[in-house]
Amino acid sequence: MTKITRTRALFNDMLNLPRGKYVPPDVAAGGAIGFARGAFAVSYDRDLVTVPGSEFFNGVPDMELVLDAERRKGWQVGTEIALGDLYANDAPFGLCQRGAVKRAVQDWEALGYSPMIGLETEAFIFQKDEDGVWRPYDTLGGFVYSTGPEGDPKGVMDDIWEAAYAADIPIESMNGEFDNGQFELTMRFDTAVKACDDAFLMRTMAREIGLKKGLLLTFMPKPVPDRGGSGLHVNFSFNDKDGNNAIAPDGELSDLAKHCVAGLIEHHPALAGMLATTVNSYDRLNPGGLAGYWANWAEDHRLVTTRTSSKSPKSARLEHRMADCATSPYQAVASVLQAARLGYTNKLPLQPAEDLDGWENVREKRHVPSGLDKSLNALDQDVELRNAIGTLYCDALLYLKRDEFKRLIGKSVDEVRDFYLPFV
């Protein structure tokens, strides 16, 4: 057994970057690691932004990552992972993404239900050309559900699988997606916090494995204009107090499920401000695509935003398809769960299912706003959803992302891509 010589304390920030420190295991055993709240005030291009909650004009004081007692296995030699919750002034910190998920879980548990989450992620691999420019992975071929060297000649996915297995990161499936160099990595269903932790660690690990091979694994929503987009599908269900799946116990959507879908549709425009948080996200979200553009739903239909699956009472679930992986799994899950809860608690009626093809014909008229700025405005105006997710959290995200949008006004598609590519 390899000796553990260091602990890597990690948390996910609002830019979906893994922030952390390496510390000796005996220091981590103390239970908390200090960080400056200014970590939430740093933009992608390393400018400091006066984000609410960062206490920018109050000395940028400390916050603490209060560590879980249990350590996760790492993928670096001699390194364990410590995750935890952020605290400030001896109270849960309002900008903590993990805390937002825990609040959503508590809100649902107060209603008698426990959320279960399964996350599907998609990514492209890029390699540097002779001029040092990142270009799409030069694969021998590309086809949906490809496996093996034909779609991944350098064996990147093989290495990710082996590392995930060794680190107890539960990948359910992995395969080539629609385009050359594009892959899907699906995580197993679990409780909400555990599912988000697993997806966070998987993404961090996968990018680091790629970089060690001189490759860039990017979860950017639309890194290549003439190829498909990459999403983050949030699959969820609820266990009742007896541990039974409450989505479709009789083989048809329950009233609970119907109200949840209605809540997601009601808050559709504002959800875009939480789930599609880059300028590039809106190159992916278009009519006639396999992403969550329209405020609609249907059973087993990939051209709608909320796809339901009710045939099996045990595995029934709801699948929300708007988000992309520029958004952290924590933020995506917290937002979807809270919008669904508002539909349930307000007993919102469910509109008829989409019954047209979704490619060229659709009945729905409401859709995602046309850009990041408009989606942020929709989020700002949806007070009910903002209060449910966390007012300080949403205020901080709005400030950070509005600043980001201003930086990219007038930039070309390539300039926008180059801005995000190293980070997303």
Side-chain angles (χ1 to χ4, degrees), residues 39-251:
F40 284 98
V42 183
S43 68
Y44 280 127
D45 42 8
R46 291 185 300 172
D47 282 342
L48 288 175
V49 184
T50 57
V51 173
S54 67
E55 299 290 333
F56 190 89
F57 293 112
N58 194 30
V60 194
D62 275 350
M63 57 186 177
E64 282 192 318
L65 183 65
V66 177
L67 305 178
D68 297 344
E70 181 182 356
R71 298 290 182 260
R72 298 288 302 257
K73 293 181 180 179
W75 50 91
Q76 297 167 293
V77 175
T79 304
E80 64 182 5
I81 302 290
L83 300 177
D85 302 322
L86 291 169
Y87 277 67
N89 301 324
D90 299 319
F93 188 29
L95 303 191
C96 178
Q97 299 206 342
R98 208 168 182 241
V101 176
K102 288 189 173 183
R103 289 194 300 273
V105 170
Q106 290 167 359
D107 288 343
W108 271 107
E109 288 180 340
L111 299 172
Y113 297 101
S114 299
M116 301 295 292
I117 302 293
L119 297 169
E120 301 175 54
T121 72
E122 295 169 328
F124 276 91
I125 295 177
F126 275 57
Q127 62 187 35
K128 282 189 176 180
D129 64 15
E130 295 178 353
D131 298 322
V133 177
W134 288 110
R135 305 292 186 192
Y137 193 23
D138 184 17
T139 63
L140 300 176
F143 51 89
V144 179
Y145 301 125
S146 63
T147 57
E150 189 172 23
D152 180 18
K154 296 183 183 295
V156 183
M157 293 298 115
D158 295 339
D159 289 351
I160 292 172
W161 185 279
E162 292 301 321
Y165 182 84
D168 291 338
I169 297 174
I171 295 177
E172 181 175 276
S173 66
M174 182 186 295
N175 55 269
E177 250 294 346
F178 185 78
D179 285 292
N180 294 56
Q182 186 185 29
F183 299 88
E184 179 175 308
L185 302 95
T186 299
M187 311 300 295
R188 290 185 180 178
F189 256 78
D190 213 314
T191 56
V193 175
K194 175 64 162 53
C196 292
D197 288 346
D198 290 339
F200 167 53
L201 293 178
M202 183 279 293
R203 180 183 183 276
T204 303
M205 176 196 69
R207 283 177 58 85
E208 292 178 358
I209 287 173
L211 288 170
K212 276 198 165 186
K213 287 177 167 284
L215 302 170
L216 181 64
L217 195 74
T218 175
F219 292 84
M220 191 172 165
K222 189 83 166 179
V224 187
D226 60 352
R227 296 192 187 182
S230 294
L232 169 62
H233 297 173
V234 180
N235 295 272
F236 65 105
S237 61
F238 299 98
N239 288 344
D240 63 20
K241 292 180 179 179
D242 296 322
N244 298 315
N245 187 335
I247 293 297
D250 301 318

Side-chain angles (χ1 to χ4, degrees), residues 13-17 19 39-52 97 220-221 272-282 324-328 331 371-376 395-412 415-424:
D13 74 356
M14 286 185 169
L15 298 177
N16 199 16
L17 298 175
R19 306 283 186 182
F40 284 98
V42 183
S43 68
Y44 280 127
D45 42 8
R46 291 185 300 172
D47 282 342
L48 288 175
V49 184
T50 57
V51 173
Q97 299 206 342
M220 191 172 165
M274 297 297 298
L275 304 180
T277 59
T278 68
V279 172
N280 179 257
S281 298
Y282 296 84
D324 59 62
C325 286
T327 301
S328 83
Q331 184 169 302
L372 177 61
D373 56 334
K374 295 179 178 62
S375 290
L376 295 174
D395 286 349
L397 183 72
L398 287 166
Y399 196 97
L400 184 64
K401 288 297 176 175
R402 280 172 168 161
D403 174 85
E404 182 179 306
F405 177 80
K406 290 177 182 177
R407 293 168 186 263
L408 295 174
I409 291 175
K411 300 292 186 182
S412 68
E415 288 173 324
V416 169
R417 186 198 72 170
D418 292 344
F419 177 83
Y420 288 118
L421 195 58
F423 307 105
V424 178

Side-chain angles (χ1 to χ4, degrees), residues 289-415:
L290 293 166
Y293 181 75
W294 297 105
N296 59 359
W297 76 280
E299 175 77 8
D300 197 15
H301 194 320
R302 285 183 168 84
L303 275 294
V304 299
T305 296
T306 303
R307 177 183 177 225
T308 65
S309 177
S310 60
K311 291 182 179 179
S312 167
K314 184 177 180 180
S315 61
R317 70 189 189 280
L318 308 178
E319 177 187 359
H320 197 262
R321 299 169 61 84
M322 182 195 296
D324 59 62
C325 286
T327 301
S328 83
Y330 301 98
Q331 184 169 302
V333 167
S335 302
V336 167
L337 287 179
Q338 292 291 15
R341 182 181 64 84
L342 292 175
Y344 176 63
T345 57
N346 292 326
K347 296 297 182 282
L348 295 181
L350 180 59
Q351 67 190 42
E354 179 61 62
D355 61 351
L356 299 180
D357 58 71
W359 296 107
E360 297 179 353
N361 304 290
V362 63
R363 296 193 188 278
E364 183 55 50
K365 303 300 182 186
R366 295 172 65 239
H367 54 75
V368 165
S370 60
L372 177 61
D373 56 334
K374 295 179 178 62
S375 290
L376 295 174
N377 290 340
L379 174 61
D380 204 359
Q381 293 163 13
D382 193 335
V383 176
E384 186 180 39
L385 182 63
R386 288 175 60 236
N387 287 341
I389 296 169
T391 302
L392 177 60
Y393 187 98
C394 291
D395 286 349
L397 183 72
L398 287 166
Y399 196 97
L400 184 64
K401 288 297 176 175
R402 280 172 168 161
D403 174 85
E404 182 179 306
F405 177 80
K406 290 177 182 177
R407 293 168 186 263
L408 295 174
I409 291 175
K411 300 292 186 182
S412 68
V413 171
D414 288 341
E415 288 173 324

